[in-house]
Amino acid sequence: MKPFLRWPRTLGSRLSLIFLAGLVLAQALSFGAQSYERYQSAKSAMLGNLETDVSTSIAILERLPANERESWLPRLERHNYRYLLNEGVPGIPMQADEVPIAVPSLKEAIGRDYLLTFSDIPGPRKHFQAHLKLRDGSPLTLDVTPSVMPMSPWLPFVLLGQLLLMLGCAWLAVRIAVRPLTRLAHAVENLDPNTHGVHLDEAGPTEVAHAAAAFNAMQARIATYLKERMQLLAAISHDLQTPITRMKLRAEFMDDSTEKEKLWQDLSEIEHLVREGVAYARSVHGATEANCRIDLDAFLDSLVFDYQDTGQAVELIGKNGGLIDTRPHALRRVLVNLVDNALKFAGSAQIVITTRENRRLSILVLDRGPGIAQAELEEVLKPFYRVESSRNRSTGGTGLGLAIAQQLATAMGGTLTLSNRDGGGLCAELELDASLN
Amino acid sequence: MDHVDHILIVDDDREIRELVGNYLKKNGLRTTVAADGRQMRAFLETTPVDLIVLDIMMPGDDGLLLCRELRAGKHKATPVLMLTARSDETDRIIGLEMGADDYLVKPFAARELLARINSVLRRTRMLPPNLIVTESGRLLGFGRWKLDTSARHLLDENGTLVALSGAEYRLLRVFLDHPQRVLNRDQLLNLTQGRDADLFDRSIDLLVSRLRQRLLDDAREPAYIKTVRSEGYVFSLPVEILGATQ
């Protein structure tokens, strides 16, 4: 069963709720205790007054001649009780368990001298009467209307004001408590060790400052680890180059044979891996290249001509006619990696350029190769991941080409997405946020 | 008797310099090896060489420093081929800026090195002498264009980058090195194809028309590259050296 009232989801509203409930409760308790105390003291004062007043009044009435009593009654009348010189109205005998508080006081004041009977008078305004007989035998009725304690008319406004004040304080406190948390969450969300991270302001309350400092330290540590990892990769790759050079040179002194051929192939494979390793380390670590304004058509044209000049089936479809602001080396590397990939698996590639409606630029590299299984489309962008068909030696592949392309695309502020084409083949889309003009 | 080209190999790795030396010797070149800048200077004091193969990464004086030194001294005409350990753009740019004629990335195949050496030698010999000495790494200005010779792209008057394919760059560079001088198709073909042996045999005419497009040159009334009937092409504008790349 679903509870009707649900615990609110945000920390802010939870804290507000607790604060508010606590404050309102505390306020209500203290208000209640205060008014009870006030009620008690007022009651005892009032009842004391009642006792003396009633006994005095009865004594006066007792001493007055019977014909003068009537004229004294208005003078003896008080705010909530008055005297009647008759039997009163018939009422219900008073229940023993519902005795108004004034009754014991009346008994105390005059009970010793007179026989008192009490009766409740029902009606829209409930009140009670005390009946007694004066010494001369004439009846006297005391009509008492118990009244609620009077309340000042400004009190509700004061209470309302207090409530508003509490609301304001709760809101302020919650805001102060929750805002640093929101800021921290935001910073963690945007944490990207490849770029210069956001440095959180280490000011404010101790706990907040502590959390911010811890976050900054963590960020710095991650950046250091990443940097070390990349330096390691670069160092290994770099140091392998000298022995590979030696081996390649030595291999060239060997007589032509299948052994030489195989050795040569292995060396080329290692060399390729080393080169890609260095390139990957750089692509992850450095976003150092400056932006330049480039003529996109000339750029793609020259890229395609470089392929065509070495006999590769690469063609360019579409013109853009614009200038874009981007990093030329990074863009070239991304496209070269994508085209090389297409050439490896399909033997030919097409580069298609389109401009999206929101002035985003989209460069597609298309092929008609085997494509990539849907489940692996995301995976192949990760370093050292290879689809099964590319693990064998004939196609080789370091598993870094697409990872490099992806890294650089991100560093350029673009996105790289792979998808399978209708009718077979792969479509690699590089979307750039380059400002066109 | 034919002249045998003398190659000086400077590399701190003993095995590499000896292997390279032996390979080149086997292929009909004379070779000498040097382990560092000191040995190189000592040898060059007494014997002129036809080409120097220079490793960039060396303890002590590195290749870049030595190359700059060579360019500043009496060996400034000796071609230099740099060996770099990184395929990184910056290394290439720096290498060419320091005045190397070509570069090769380690690990390289010995036969590729041989091809590059031959290409550089041929280029420096068969060229008609340069009318202007264009030091690498400089901006060359002509008409409304500037050519950045280290990054190998064009810049227009607004600073917009216009990329060139490898073949386009080489052809333009040949024209800019020999401005206002008629070059025939054979010369152009040789000079532009020298570097990459596997380059497809593009006809020079196609390459020229591509380059004209890149320069926004009207093919019917070209302002930059003019056709000289039955002779070849001429780059018709003066070229000025604008100084180092910013």
Side-chain angles (χ1 to χ4, degrees):
Chain A
M1 210 176 79
K2 224 169 156 185
F4 180 67
L5 279 173
R6 244 183 302 171
W7 189 223
R9 299 210 50 87
T10 64
L11 182 60
S13 42
R14 286 178 189 189
L15 278 180
S16 309
L17 203 64
I18 294 171
F19 269 131
L20 207 61
L23 282 173
V24 167
L25 206 65
Q27 192 68 22
L29 271 174
S30 77
F31 180 72
Q34 226 172 37
S35 43
Y36 180 72
E37 197 274 335
R38 189 179 144 224
Y39 167 76
Q40 285 296 343
S41 60
K43 189 177 83 177
S44 65
M46 226 163 66
L47 293 180
N49 278 345
L50 183 72
E51 279 175 34
T52 42
D53 190 52
V54 167
S55 50
T56 314
S57 300
I58 299 235
I60 291 170
L61 288 173
E62 192 75 66
R63 279 165 182 76
L64 282 172
N67 53 353
E68 279 182 36
R69 282 176 191 156
E70 185 69 40
S71 59
W72 276 81
L73 290 185
R75 277 190 249 176
L76 298 176
E77 189 179 325
R78 295 288 179 267
H79 172 65
N80 54 353
Y81 58 90
R82 63 202 168 102
Y83 300 89
L84 304 169
L85 293 172
N86 53 31
E87 299 283 352
V89 289
I92 322 159
M94 190 169 281
Q95 300 294 313
D97 52 345
E98 279 180 44
V99 181
I101 46 161
V103 171
S105 305
L106 288 178
K107 282 182 178 165
E108 174 78 15
I110 48 177
R112 267 173 290 155
D113 304 323
Y114 301 94
L115 179 69
L116 285 167
T117 52
F118 296 92
S119 61
D120 274 326
I121 316 295
R125 255 196 103 187
K126 225 179 116 182
H127 55 122
F128 72 90
Q129 294 186 338
H131 313 281
L132 59 109
K133 291 258 193 294
L134 295 177
R135 296 229 175 92
D136 61 353
S138 56
L140 181 71
T141 296
L142 186 57
D143 186 281
V144 183
T145 312
S147 71
V148 285
M149 214 166 38
M151 197 189 259
S152 317
W154 45 262
L155 198 60
F157 294 104
V158 171
L159 285 178
L160 191 71
Q162 272 182 337
L163 191 71
L164 287 178
L165 191 69
M166 282 188 286
L167 266 175
C169 285
W171 178 79
L172 193 69
V174 165
R175 211 173 111 85
I176 287 173
V178 171
R179 213 183 23 189
L181 200 63
T182 319
R183 217 160 40 119
L184 190 67
H186 188 72
V188 173
E189 225 165 58
N190 292 342
L191 179 64
D192 182 3
N194 296 329
T195 59
H196 289 291
V198 270
H199 188 82
L200 275 185
D201 188 13
E202 292 179 19
T206 323
E207 295 88 344
V208 174
H210 193 160
F215 173 80
N216 285 337
M218 179 194 76
Q219 188 170 263
R221 228 169 21 241
I222 292 176
T224 315
Y225 288 149
L226 256 188
K227 201 172 159 189
E228 271 171 15
R229 202 184 76 178
M230 285 309 143
Q231 278 170 347
L232 188 73
L233 183 57
I236 292 174
S237 300
H238 188 261
D239 288 352
L240 276 173
Q241 280 173 333
T242 303
I244 294 171
T245 307
R246 282 190 214 133
M247 282 191 272
K248 280 193 113 171
L249 290 171
R250 257 185 233 121
E252 270 171 302
F253 284 96
M254 288 168 68
D255 296 325
D256 286 334
S257 65
T258 49
E259 283 306 304
K260 176 182 175 179
E261 193 86 347
K262 280 183 186 166
L263 181 63
W264 192 258
Q265 243 173 39
D266 284 347
L267 284 171
S268 299
E269 230 169 84
I270 299 173
E271 179 193 338
H272 187 61
L273 180 62
V274 164
R275 246 175 229 190
E276 294 287 278
V278 175
Y280 181 65
R282 274 159 201 270
S283 75
V284 170
H285 190 55
T288 47
E289 192 188 351
N291 271 25
C292 274
R293 199 169 58 239
I294 67 168
D295 178 332
L296 189 64
D297 286 332
F299 187 84
L300 294 175
D301 248 10
S302 69
L303 185 97
V304 167
F305 282 146
D306 275 336
Y307 277 104
Q308 289 176 354
D309 286 349
T310 51
Q312 312 266 29
V314 179
E315 59 174 331
L316 175 66
I317 297 169
K319 284 243 171 236
N320 174 263
L323 307 176
I324 67 167
D325 198 31
T326 192
R327 299 179 176 156
H329 289 313
L331 179 60
R332 178 171 286 264
R333 180 87 207 210
V334 171
L335 293 175
V336 163
N337 283 12
L338 295 177
V339 170
D340 284 350
N341 213 49
L343 289 174
K344 194 166 81 181
F345 288 101
S348 65
Q350 285 183 333
I351 299 178
V352 179
I353 175 153
T354 54
T355 310
R356 290 288 178 79
E357 63 278 2
N358 49 1
R359 289 170 78 90
R360 272 181 86 84
L361 179 77
S362 170
I363 304 173
L364 307 175
V365 177
L366 306 173
D367 69 46
R368 284 292 180 196
I372 295 173
Q374 202 67 32
E376 290 185 299
L377 282 175
E378 291 261 326
E379 295 293 307
V380 292
L381 295 177
K382 293 178 183 164
F384 299 110
Y385 186 91
R386 273 167 285 187
V387 290
E388 205 46 54
S389 55
S390 113
R391 280 190 198 281
N392 60 45
R393 295 187 120 216
S394 62
T395 47
T398 58
L400 282 174
L402 289 176
I404 293 170
Q406 152 91 337
Q407 282 289 344
L408 288 176
T410 312
M412 288 160 71
T415 53
L416 177 64
T417 30
L418 301 180
S419 57
N420 285 304
R421 296 173 72 190
D422 294 336
L426 190 71
C427 164
E429 178 174 6
L430 174 67
E431 226 186 297
L432 287 178
D433 204 8
S435 50
L436 290 161
N437 39 40
Chain B
M1 213 185 111
D2 274 352
H3 167 78
V4 176
D5 290 317
H6 190 168
I7 315 294
L8 175 63
I9 300 147
V10 188
D11 195 316
D12 59 313
D13 189 281
R14 189 178 56 84
E15 281 213 54
I16 289 180
R17 63 177 184 264
E18 279 170 10
L19 283 164
V20 168
N22 290 341
Y23 183 87
L24 296 180
K25 223 176 271 175
K26 216 174 80 175
N27 285 278
L29 294 165
R30 241 176 93 199
T31 60
T32 306
V33 295
D36 52 28
R38 205 175 39 79
Q39 286 183 21
M40 179 191 90
R41 288 187 206 105
F43 184 77
L44 286 177
E45 276 302 308
T46 58
T47 328
V49 295
D50 295 282
L51 187 143
I52 301 169
V53 175
L54 191 55
D55 186 26
I56 283 194
M57 292 275 280
M58 284 193 295
D61 295 342
D62 68 15
L64 295 175
L65 201 104
L66 293 177
C67 185
R68 197 162 40 186
E69 190 185 302
L70 285 170
R71 284 289 169 264
K74 62 174 177 171
H75 300 285
K76 66 166 172 263
T78 311
V80 172
L81 202 156
M82 286 276 206
L83 298 180
T84 111
R86 276 176 286 176
S87 56
D88 196 43
E89 289 291 335
T90 51
D91 259 17
R92 191 191 82 181
I93 291 167
I94 293 167
L96 293 175
E97 238 166 50
M98 291 302 152
D101 293 79
D102 206 346
Y103 73 98
L104 197 55
V105 179
K106 277 182 181 177
F108 53 87
R111 56 172 175 259
E112 200 187 345
L113 176 65
L114 181 66
R116 292 286 178 93
I117 287 173
N118 285 331
S119 145
V120 170
L121 287 174
R122 188 177 50 200
R123 200 162 55 195
T124 47
R125 289 206 181 117
M126 81 160 285
L127 275 177
N130 279 6
L131 292 186
I132 52 170
V133 182
T134 53
E135 230 180 289
S136 292
R138 294 297 166 95
L139 280 176
L140 299 179
F142 56 96
R144 60 181 284 245
W145 296 100
K146 280 177 232 154
L147 179 71
D148 185 326
T149 58
S150 54
R152 303 189 163 203
H153 55 230
L154 285 167
L155 295 168
D156 72 7
E157 68 269 31
N158 301 319
T160 303
L161 190 157
V162 174
L164 293 170
S165 76
E168 288 160 12
Y169 172 79
R170 285 192 295 276
L171 180 64
L172 180 60
R173 191 64 204 275
V174 170
F175 278 126
L176 296 185
D177 283 348
H178 310 91
Q180 289 158 324
R181 194 170 176 134
V182 179
L183 299 168
N184 65 37
R185 286 185 176 75
D186 278 345
Q187 283 173 316
L188 290 172
L189 195 67
N190 255 313
L191 293 170
T192 51
Q193 287 202 334
R195 249 188 59 174
D196 293 310
D198 54 350
L199 190 73
F200 243 47
D201 186 17
R202 288 266 164 210
S203 87
I204 282 298
D205 299 319
L206 178 63
L207 213 48
V208 167
S209 94
R210 261 169 33 181
L211 193 54
R212 278 179 179 155
Q213 242 175 53
R214 210 54 95 220
L215 295 170
L216 308 176
D217 204 5
D218 187 353
R220 278 161 306 175
E221 253 184 73
Y224 295 97
I225 304 168
K226 293 201 163 117
T227 313
V228 182
R229 196 177 288 272
S230 77
E231 276 195 72
Y233 295 95
V234 61
F235 191 82
S236 57
L237 289 181
V239 177
E240 54 174 335
I241 302 171
L242 295 173
T245 314
Q246 298 91 339

